[in-house]
């Protein structure tokens, strides 16, 4: 006797949910910035892509992604990091 199956496999189709870990998202030009990372509700390792150049003012994107063990892909989550120069210029007058 043979059996025939049609329909869905009933497997896991729920996408994981990424949460950004609270951290510093504004850094002074010339300073250091460390990515606080992100977590996922299914326990897999979250991948971060993107870089922050702390020597150049601007806004940088760090994009987090993950795929769970069932192959479900999470919605991408983005951290925006701003590099800015808030240091007042120092003017020195020399006699001459």
């Amino acid at each position: 006797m043979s059996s025939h199956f049609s329909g869905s496999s009933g497997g896991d189709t729920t996408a994981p949910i990424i949460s950004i870990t609270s951290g510093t998202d504004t850094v002074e030009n010339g300073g250091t910035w460390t990515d606080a990372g992100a977590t996922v509700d299914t326990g897999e390792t979250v991948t971060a892509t993107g870089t922050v150049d702390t020597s150049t003012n601007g806004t940088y994107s760090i994009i987090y992604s993950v795929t769970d063990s069932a192959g479900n892909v999470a919605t991408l989550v983005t951290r925006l990091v701003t590099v800015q120069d808030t240091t007042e210029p120092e003017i020195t007058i020399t006699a001459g």
Side-chain angles (χ1 to χ4, degrees):
M1 171 185 228
S2 67
S3 63
H4 177 65
F5 176 80
S6 65
S8 69
S9 63
D12 176 7
T13 59
T14 303
I17 298 172
I18 299 171
S19 298
I20 292 178
T21 304
S22 179
T24 302
D25 294 336
T26 301
V27 62
E28 183 70 21
N29 186 299
T32 59
W33 177 79
T34 303
D35 185 2
T39 59
V40 65
D41 62 344
T42 53
E44 284 82 15
T45 300
V46 177
T47 300
T49 56
T51 58
V52 175
D53 180 357
T54 59
S55 66
T56 304
N57 290 348
T59 301
Y60 299 87
S61 297
I62 304 298
I63 300 170
Y64 301 102
S65 62
V66 69
T67 301
D68 69 15
S69 60
N72 301 308
V73 179
T75 299
L76 299 178
V77 176
T78 302
R79 177 190 301 273
L80 296 177
V81 179
T82 302
V83 177
Q84 61 186 10
D85 182 1
T86 61
T87 304
E88 297 284 333
E90 186 173 308
I91 300 172
T92 305
I93 300 174
T94 57

